[in-house]
Amino acid sequence: MTDNQRRFCASVTVMCLLMAGTCARADVTHFKGLQICGKNQRNTPDKTCMVDGDTLWLGGVNIRLKDFDTPESRTNICGGSTEINLAQVATDRLRSLLNGNAWTIETFGIDGTGKRRLATIRIEGVDVGDILIAEKLARRWPDGDEFWCR
């Protein structure tokens, strides 16, 4: 099997698991070069990009990473420019982690909005949320301190 064939098979497998949304785990090392989603980027069957530090699209599936929260850059909920700046740093850090490492994703159904798959992404077994929390770029969700609101 060629490298391109392996990537194609892995892509199909990942998309089936993500669409199923029930405790599925998949190796997604073939998603490299993730970019930030454009402000008016359409939701297409192949949309693959990062919304922010805890939300991304993979192959047309909207993914919300669970158990942690990052500041919002687009809605500026509570912290003004502090929140927006930290949101950009958190998004850039997640993007760097995902583009620079092999990772796995495990899905857990749908979030409270009814629109996004809940998932955990791990690098060498470590939840990316734990990395961002340790680096003070995210908080535990739902009970963590929104330190960027001060």
Side-chain angles (χ1 to χ4, degrees):
M1 185 180 283
T2 69
D3 204 33
N4 282 342
Q5 289 170 322
R6 268 194 227 60
R7 265 195 294 270
F8 175 76
C9 288
S11 295
V12 170
T13 301
V14 168
M15 290 311 104
C16 288
L17 291 172
L18 288 173
M19 294 304 285
T22 55
C23 255
R25 182 171 179 257
D27 176 8
V28 289
T29 58
H30 61 283
F31 280 108
K32 296 291 183 186
L34 281 170
Q35 299 298 316
I36 306 300
C37 298
K39 288 190 186 226
N40 295 316
Q41 188 173 349
R42 295 175 48 101
N43 300 338
T44 62
D46 62 344
K47 183 176 182 176
T48 299
C49 57
M50 295 187 52
V51 175
D52 58 26
D54 56 32
T55 308
L56 62 153
W57 287 83
L58 295 177
V61 179
N62 194 352
I63 306 290
R64 173 57 165 94
L65 299 177
K66 67 188 239 27
D67 299 331
F68 74 99
D69 186 36
T70 59
E72 300 297 328
S73 62
R74 295 182 183 187
T75 57
N76 179 19
I77 291 173
C78 62
S81 62
T82 300
E83 180 178 12
I84 291 169
N85 293 337
L86 188 60
Q88 187 60 52
V89 173
T91 302
D92 289 345
R93 179 61 173 138
L94 180 62
R95 185 172 157 225
S96 173
L97 286 167
L98 299 184
N99 285 337
N101 296 282
W103 45 277
T104 59
I105 186 168
E106 185 174 4
T107 60
F108 299 92
I110 304 295
D111 76 348
T113 69
K115 298 177 182 177
R116 303 178 295 187
R117 292 265 177 241
L118 283 172
T120 298
I121 292 178
R122 290 186 177 83
I123 296 170
E124 295 182 7
V126 178
D127 185 330
V128 294
D130 292 338
I131 295 170
L132 294 175
I133 290 167
E135 294 177 1
K136 307 240 183 280
L137 299 173
R139 70 174 181 126
R140 214 34 82 212
W141 190 89
D143 300 321
D145 176 32
E146 287 182 293
F147 54 89
W148 54 83
C149 291
R150 292 185 218 142

